Amino acid sequence: MDLKRFDSLFQQRREGHSLPQSLYISPEAHDFDLSAIYGESWLAVGMDCELPRSGSYISLMVGKWPVLIVRDKHGDIRAFHNSCRHRGSIICQPGSGAAPKLVCPYHRWTYDLDGSLFAATRMPETFDKSDHGLKPVAIENIGGALFICLSETPPPIDDFREKLSAYAAPHNYKDMKLAHQNVLVEHANWKLVMENARECYHCPTGHPELGTSFPVGMSKHFDSKDEVQVESFETIMDSLGLAHTPVEGPWWQVARFPLNPGSNSISMDGQHLSKKLLYEGNGGNIGSMRFAVDPHSFSHSTADHVFLFSAMPIGPNETHAINKWYVHKDAVEGVDYHLPSMAELWDVTNLQDKELAENNHRGVNSLGYTPGPYSDEAEMLARRFVDWYCDKARDYIAAHVD
Amino acid sequence: MDLKRFDSLFQQRREGHSLPQSLYISPEAHDFDLSAIYGESWLAVGMDCELPRSGSYISLMVGKWPVLIVRDKHGDIRAFHNSCRHRGSIICQPGSGAAPKLVCPYHRWTYDLDGSLFAATRMPETFDKSDHGLKPVAIENIGGALFICLSETPPPIDDFREKLSAYAAPHNYKDMKLAHQNVLVEHANWKLVMENARECYHCPTGHPELGTSFPVGMSKHFDSKDEVQVESFETIMDSLGLAHTPVEGPWWQVARFPLNPGSNSISMDGQHLSKKLLYEGNGGNIGSMRFAVDPHSFSHSTADHVFLFSAMPIGPNETHAINKWYVHKDAVEGVDYHLPSMAELWDVTNLQDKELAENNHRGVNSLGYTPGPYSDEAEMLARRFVDWYCDKARDYIAAHVD
Amino acid sequence: MDLKRFDSLFQQRREGHSLPQSLYISPEAHDFDLSAIYGESWLAVGMDCELPRSGSYISLMVGKWPVLIVRDKHGDIRAFHNSCRHRGSIICQPGSGAAPKLVCPYHRWTYDLDGSLFAATRMPETFDKSDHGLKPVAIENIGGALFICLSETPPPIDDFREKLSAYAAPHNYKDMKLAHQNVLVEHANWKLVMENARECYHCPTGHPELGTSFPVGMSKHFDSKDEVQVESFETIMDSLGLAHTPVEGPWWQVARFPLNPGSNSISMDGQHLSKKLLYEGNGGNIGSMRFAVDPHSFSHSTADHVFLFSAMPIGPNETHAINKWYVHKDAVEGVDYHLPSMAELWDVTNLQDKELAENNHRGVNSLGYTPGPYSDEAEMLARRFVDWYCDKARDYIAAHVD
């Protein structure tokens, strides 16, 4: 990878404007982003509740990199590179499951749930099992939300841990279950998918369904124009002891904000999607607690359910949008919640965004493309994302270029 | 792009022979061709009649580059890069349509038909709309035939304009309508598609259907072996005042030539495909007026219809062959012309050529491939195309290499 | 191709361990392998019996390179690059057939079966046909088994020819016919496909069906643990005059080894797949004569049939596994052999191997992949393959780097 070429591309970047063309479309930029961004950032991969017992695992792909998340026999959650130390085979197929030990399907090398090599047949006496355990991946379990980092020197996470723990506490993540998940294939660069996900300038005309419950006309950092409504919301949240002030760090944001009047969930009709609430206070009307992690995710927690979106880069012009919906673990499908209704709003919204992002990608290929200006008022968070991306990339280049 | 490597490839080219292997098959050559050839040439994109009124537009792709052709409110035809000046989204989906203004589907930035930015909401007061109009693309309307050039310094076109205007005049392009169009995907490099399109050495055995009306045994520049027929044709054309002598410039050719005895159109049976003629003289028997534009197109105009072929490079081994058929605007489908019959000859011929070009591409990949000799007698125009390609490429390299 | 980069990759290779990651997954390594390995090795492509008469041909692809194998009018088998010397088109479509002369479908250039150009119309008088014959490819017919080499300086083959002639003689290759063939597409690098094909460490759990007849518990070079059985087998083979001792050269191995007790063929039930035997002695119970050729093939000859496997690289993560089954030429389908039963064992085994190789490939992409140790006892031949690969690559680099 020619880091000097990337250095010069990032120097060309015009402040307050979208990125130079080749950062969006070139195969080299895809490789660079995987290493410099996805390989060096904390990524939201799911929830503690998806691993209900010892031996439960999630096998997932971060781009082309297979990762395994496992609950060990002490109940702790660990993460490993999903690659056998013998000849490299993946050990668990992408998906989820449970097993008392981790057995490679190729030659039956067998690992304990803590990643140590338990057995490998037909190896010589000189072979040292303790040298051949699964390689660990950094993982954080923050109040039930799981974040991994593939880097050997992950970015500091203390501040995020403290804030998210506090803001997420009322939603009771550890008592949830995964109700539904799906993946949407978008033919657009992951950064265009994420810029789209970070602004609502396009929402009033692009997402009529979302606009029922979501304050699509907000500006900047989820600022509402209705000061009376905001003040009332803040007063109630304070009385309930629920944190709400927007807080942020270099690569994350956390806030609780009011939904549209009359709405208590982010859904087609603004009403709860699950009758079994995660938080019962104030009639289940506590707005949405949004957290967002750069480079790739955002999440909305309302009193009844949690939605988690993350984007995984597959190629220069292909991104997988992974969507997960969680409800209270005791909620009964068909009784407390109805699956098709649960997925409907984000499915329709994601399909609208997919079309917008794909249009964007096609147009960015234009011989006439020039980086254009973000609206500070309407696209503050998109600009913030792109600024973060450039800073992160420049740091990587500085650390790795000769 | 390593232009010095290309320089050395073009120096290796053996006069009178096909190209060095990697120019046909390497991904780098595809990128080079887009920039050096398609980005620097006049391209035939359609006809004035496809834009019937103010606001009519054609949205098309030149390789990966989206372009928009629009009739403005004064009736003039303009071309723009189809990429919003905000964040780059394409504005109009590929295809055709009509709109009073050009509205980007992403954030509703709105452009006048002359490309100037009319409205952009939520932008700061310091934002200057006059700096953010659509970027123009050069366009020429020659007697109703449209040619665009993506370069900021298009090649001289005066001579071609003068000649094509004269030769095309009797076919009355402005009074046509688009009757049919389709796209054929060929898994071959665009240059192999065009070499095929520039010679008829393969026609006698490769295109039995075309041979009914088309003089497939011709040599060199549509030279017939039947001098008596040619003299008779020239005498009649002179008496009608129709230009016919072959003329050419560096990147174009124009000529009118006689069809086979008994044929007055290029069709399965040699007879007119549309009863409503574009030119009524001599019983609608005026041979074919062929124009060809390097790198990518040819067209045949007979008294009853016009056929336009153009090749667009999609990848090193993928080319889109775009075909359009035009008839008199007053011709009625099902009465004056029958759509399936109209498309039949070129469809069958194009499918034969697709197979030949794909065989050619596969064989050019051979470890034993060596550039072979063109027949001067039978492949003069293919050789001429390849020579033009090399000259154009060398000019580009000379202008861009350090 | 940056050979110095490859040189450094091969220097990094750790003895006794699998390869550095980028040799398995990078597009550059695919290109390198085609040139340095497949372009410089003898490849097993089929049997003499597939070309029953003068004019019979096989057209096949070695990766992206088309090759033509033809029986000439003297009965000799020749090989050529399948690319017309005019403009490079392939002459015969991939597959097999027969023709009195080889006619390019493009412009009807016509070649004799010895590759010389017989006719090319419309070429000038100065054109020299003798300069434009098909380019030859080296071919060896060893007792009926065909091997080609695309290099102009093929590796020495005398020793292999002598040994294979002797070991294969009882199987009577020239009196066979091709009974069945198919191709399995595997989404894994060809080296992972071949490492899998060169060891049986994975067989006891990975291939339950193969284990019926095949000694899947063997170690090293088809060494059985049952010395009594081996001695008895060797005594019988000696008495029949059949060579059996394992022999090998730098890029090949030949041996005859006993099947499991009670088995006389490699099949689902261990019994002959064809009643019409290639070798009648000892009740058709002569174990399996295995030959293997690096980089890409292995073959098992039992008394009743011959199976030939070869791997062709299509891309960094795509390999075609080509499988051929041969029986006695007089065996009658439906009477002496039943096609679905014949293919069943290797089809089920290949599908198991495909899954293992694809798992392996996905895991080798891991950010945590590190080359792991081969078991000397269980994976000797896989390690030997990888060692050969590295040596061959280093030789190529030494010969081609400046």
PDB file of all heavy atoms in Angstrom, chain C residues 60 96 147 167 186 192 279 301 306 328 336 358 365 400:
ATOM      1  N   LEU C  60      -8.709 -27.115 -24.142  1.00  0.00           N
ATOM      2  CA  LEU C  60      -8.824 -26.920 -22.694  1.00  0.00           C
ATOM      3  C   LEU C  60      -8.186 -25.589 -22.266  1.00  0.00           C
ATOM      4  O   LEU C  60      -7.436 -24.979 -23.025  1.00  0.00           O
ATOM      5  CB  LEU C  60      -8.170 -28.097 -21.964  1.00  0.00           C
ATOM      6  CG  LEU C  60      -6.680 -28.315 -22.177  1.00  0.00           C
ATOM      7  CD1 LEU C  60      -5.880 -27.701 -21.033  1.00  0.00           C
ATOM      8  CD2 LEU C  60      -6.360 -29.807 -22.258  1.00  0.00           C
ATOM      9  N   SER C  96     -14.274 -31.066 -26.680  1.00  0.00           N
ATOM     10  CA  SER C  96     -13.546 -31.972 -27.559  1.00  0.00           C
ATOM     11  C   SER C  96     -14.328 -32.155 -28.843  1.00  0.00           C
ATOM     12  O   SER C  96     -15.504 -31.782 -28.934  1.00  0.00           O
ATOM     13  CB  SER C  96     -13.312 -33.308 -26.869  1.00  0.00           C
ATOM     14  OG  SER C  96     -14.561 -33.886 -26.544  1.00  0.00           O
ATOM     15  N   PHE C 147       0.761 -35.363 -20.898  1.00  0.00           N
ATOM     16  CA  PHE C 147       1.285 -34.269 -20.083  1.00  0.00           C
ATOM     17  C   PHE C 147       1.755 -33.167 -21.016  1.00  0.00           C
ATOM     18  O   PHE C 147       2.453 -33.443 -21.994  1.00  0.00           O
ATOM     19  CB  PHE C 147       2.451 -34.769 -19.224  1.00  0.00           C
ATOM     20  CG  PHE C 147       2.075 -35.893 -18.307  1.00  0.00           C
ATOM     21  CD1 PHE C 147       2.130 -37.217 -18.744  1.00  0.00           C
ATOM     22  CD2 PHE C 147       1.611 -35.642 -17.020  1.00  0.00           C
ATOM     23  CE1 PHE C 147       1.741 -38.264 -17.910  1.00  0.00           C
ATOM     24  CE2 PHE C 147       1.228 -36.687 -16.179  1.00  0.00           C
ATOM     25  CZ  PHE C 147       1.295 -37.995 -16.623  1.00  0.00           C
ATOM     26  N   TYR C 167       5.043 -48.512 -14.079  1.00  0.00           N
ATOM     27  CA  TYR C 167       3.985 -48.714 -13.081  1.00  0.00           C
ATOM     28  C   TYR C 167       2.597 -48.747 -13.716  1.00  0.00           C
ATOM     29  O   TYR C 167       1.684 -49.411 -13.220  1.00  0.00           O
ATOM     30  CB  TYR C 167       4.049 -47.611 -12.022  1.00  0.00           C
ATOM     31  CG  TYR C 167       5.143 -47.795 -10.979  1.00  0.00           C
ATOM     32  CD1 TYR C 167       6.496 -47.730 -11.329  1.00  0.00           C
ATOM     33  CD2 TYR C 167       4.842 -48.054  -9.640  1.00  0.00           C
ATOM     34  CE1 TYR C 167       7.509 -47.895 -10.386  1.00  0.00           C
ATOM     35  CE2 TYR C 167       5.839 -48.214  -8.686  1.00  0.00           C
ATOM     36  CZ  TYR C 167       7.170 -48.131  -9.062  1.00  0.00           C
ATOM     37  OH  TYR C 167       8.160 -48.295  -8.138  1.00  0.00           O
ATOM     38  N   GLU C 186     -14.359 -24.535  -6.902  1.00  0.00           N
ATOM     39  CA  GLU C 186     -14.058 -24.357  -5.481  1.00  0.00           C
ATOM     40  C   GLU C 186     -13.608 -22.908  -5.237  1.00  0.00           C
ATOM     41  O   GLU C 186     -12.744 -22.400  -5.940  1.00  0.00           O
ATOM     42  CB  GLU C 186     -12.952 -25.333  -5.045  1.00  0.00           C
ATOM     43  CG  GLU C 186     -13.288 -26.786  -5.359  1.00  0.00           C
ATOM     44  CD  GLU C 186     -12.403 -27.785  -4.608  1.00  0.00           C
ATOM     45  OE1 GLU C 186     -11.839 -27.417  -3.559  1.00  0.00           O
ATOM     46  OE2 GLU C 186     -12.280 -28.920  -5.083  1.00  0.00           O
ATOM     47  N   LEU C 192      -4.410 -24.273  -1.649  1.00  0.00           N
ATOM     48  CA  LEU C 192      -5.160 -24.878  -0.538  1.00  0.00           C
ATOM     49  C   LEU C 192      -5.898 -26.121  -1.025  1.00  0.00           C
ATOM     50  O   LEU C 192      -6.022 -27.112  -0.288  1.00  0.00           O
ATOM     51  CB  LEU C 192      -6.128 -23.858   0.059  1.00  0.00           C
ATOM     52  CG  LEU C 192      -5.441 -22.634   0.683  1.00  0.00           C
ATOM     53  CD1 LEU C 192      -6.476 -21.612   1.142  1.00  0.00           C
ATOM     54  CD2 LEU C 192      -4.546 -23.044   1.844  1.00  0.00           C
ATOM     55  N   TYR C 279      -7.029 -54.966 -15.998  1.00  0.00           N
ATOM     56  CA  TYR C 279      -6.005 -55.967 -15.650  1.00  0.00           C
ATOM     57  C   TYR C 279      -6.720 -57.133 -14.973  1.00  0.00           C
ATOM     58  O   TYR C 279      -7.436 -56.933 -13.991  1.00  0.00           O
ATOM     59  CB  TYR C 279      -4.971 -55.351 -14.698  1.00  0.00           C
ATOM     60  CG  TYR C 279      -3.882 -56.310 -14.270  1.00  0.00           C
ATOM     61  CD1 TYR C 279      -2.718 -56.456 -15.029  1.00  0.00           C
ATOM     62  CD2 TYR C 279      -4.016 -57.068 -13.107  1.00  0.00           C
ATOM     63  CE1 TYR C 279      -1.717 -57.344 -14.644  1.00  0.00           C
ATOM     64  CE2 TYR C 279      -3.028 -57.952 -12.711  1.00  0.00           C
ATOM     65  CZ  TYR C 279      -1.875 -58.078 -13.488  1.00  0.00           C
ATOM     66  OH  TYR C 279      -0.873 -58.953 -13.092  1.00  0.00           O
ATOM     67  N   SER C 301      -5.109 -45.632 -10.276  1.00  0.00           N
ATOM     68  CA  SER C 301      -5.451 -46.691 -11.225  1.00  0.00           C
ATOM     69  C   SER C 301      -5.650 -47.978 -10.448  1.00  0.00           C
ATOM     70  O   SER C 301      -4.708 -48.470  -9.807  1.00  0.00           O
ATOM     71  CB  SER C 301      -4.322 -46.882 -12.241  1.00  0.00           C
ATOM     72  OG  SER C 301      -4.098 -45.705 -12.984  1.00  0.00           O
ATOM     73  N   VAL C 306      -9.665 -45.931 -13.886  1.00  0.00           N
ATOM     74  CA  VAL C 306      -8.654 -44.917 -13.582  1.00  0.00           C
ATOM     75  C   VAL C 306      -9.370 -43.616 -13.278  1.00  0.00           C
ATOM     76  O   VAL C 306     -10.312 -43.239 -13.988  1.00  0.00           O
ATOM     77  CB  VAL C 306      -7.682 -44.732 -14.772  1.00  0.00           C
ATOM     78  CG1 VAL C 306      -6.713 -43.585 -14.516  1.00  0.00           C
ATOM     79  CG2 VAL C 306      -6.917 -46.024 -15.041  1.00  0.00           C
ATOM     80  N   HIS C 328     -12.280 -49.644 -19.282  1.00  0.00           N
ATOM     81  CA  HIS C 328     -11.871 -50.379 -20.479  1.00  0.00           C
ATOM     82  C   HIS C 328     -12.737 -49.934 -21.655  1.00  0.00           C
ATOM     83  O   HIS C 328     -13.944 -49.731 -21.497  1.00  0.00           O
ATOM     84  CB  HIS C 328     -12.000 -51.886 -20.253  1.00  0.00           C
ATOM     85  CG  HIS C 328     -11.291 -52.688 -21.297  1.00  0.00           C
ATOM     86  ND1 HIS C 328     -11.751 -52.836 -22.584  1.00  0.00           N
ATOM     87  CD2 HIS C 328     -10.107 -53.379 -21.247  1.00  0.00           C
ATOM     88  CE1 HIS C 328     -10.912 -53.583 -23.282  1.00  0.00           C
ATOM     89  NE2 HIS C 328      -9.888 -53.916 -22.492  1.00  0.00           N
ATOM     90  N   ASP C 336     -21.649 -53.191 -18.057  1.00  0.00           N
ATOM     91  CA  ASP C 336     -20.421 -53.434 -17.291  1.00  0.00           C
ATOM     92  C   ASP C 336     -20.206 -52.392 -16.194  1.00  0.00           C
ATOM     93  O   ASP C 336     -19.512 -52.649 -15.213  1.00  0.00           O
ATOM     94  CB  ASP C 336     -19.219 -53.439 -18.236  1.00  0.00           C
ATOM     95  CG  ASP C 336     -19.287 -54.604 -19.218  1.00  0.00           C
ATOM     96  OD1 ASP C 336     -19.477 -55.740 -18.747  1.00  0.00           O
ATOM     97  OD2 ASP C 336     -19.194 -54.363 -20.436  1.00  0.00           O
ATOM     98  N   GLU C 358     -12.592 -24.435   1.223  1.00  0.00           N
ATOM     99  CA  GLU C 358     -13.206 -23.100   1.288  1.00  0.00           C
ATOM    100  C   GLU C 358     -13.156 -22.546   2.715  1.00  0.00           C
ATOM    101  O   GLU C 358     -12.918 -21.352   2.919  1.00  0.00           O
ATOM    102  CB  GLU C 358     -14.640 -23.149   0.740  1.00  0.00           C
ATOM    103  CG  GLU C 358     -14.639 -23.429  -0.766  1.00  0.00           C
ATOM    104  CD  GLU C 358     -16.022 -23.517  -1.404  1.00  0.00           C
ATOM    105  OE1 GLU C 358     -17.032 -23.566  -0.663  1.00  0.00           O
ATOM    106  OE2 GLU C 358     -16.096 -23.539  -2.646  1.00  0.00           O
ATOM    107  N   ASN C 365      -7.654 -15.760   5.354  1.00  0.00           N
ATOM    108  CA  ASN C 365      -7.837 -14.312   5.245  1.00  0.00           C
ATOM    109  C   ASN C 365      -7.799 -13.601   6.591  1.00  0.00           C
ATOM    110  O   ASN C 365      -7.766 -12.366   6.635  1.00  0.00           O
ATOM    111  CB  ASN C 365      -9.192 -14.012   4.595  1.00  0.00           C
ATOM    112  CG  ASN C 365      -9.122 -13.983   3.085  1.00  0.00           C
ATOM    113  OD1 ASN C 365      -8.637 -13.007   2.511  1.00  0.00           O
ATOM    114  ND2 ASN C 365      -9.579 -15.039   2.446  1.00  0.00           N
ATOM    115  N   HIS C 400      14.455 -14.744 -13.355  1.00  0.00           N
ATOM    116  CA  HIS C 400      13.773 -13.628 -14.025  1.00  0.00           C
ATOM    117  C   HIS C 400      14.023 -12.267 -13.402  1.00  0.00           C
ATOM    118  O   HIS C 400      13.739 -11.248 -14.024  1.00  0.00           O
ATOM    119  CB  HIS C 400      12.267 -13.887 -14.058  1.00  0.00           C
ATOM    120  CG  HIS C 400      11.881 -14.978 -15.002  1.00  0.00           C
ATOM    121  ND1 HIS C 400      11.978 -16.310 -14.670  1.00  0.00           N
ATOM    122  CD2 HIS C 400      11.454 -14.952 -16.294  1.00  0.00           C
ATOM    123  CE1 HIS C 400      11.592 -17.053 -15.692  1.00  0.00           C
ATOM    124  NE2 HIS C 400      11.268 -16.259 -16.686  1.00  0.00           N
TER     125      HIS C 400
END
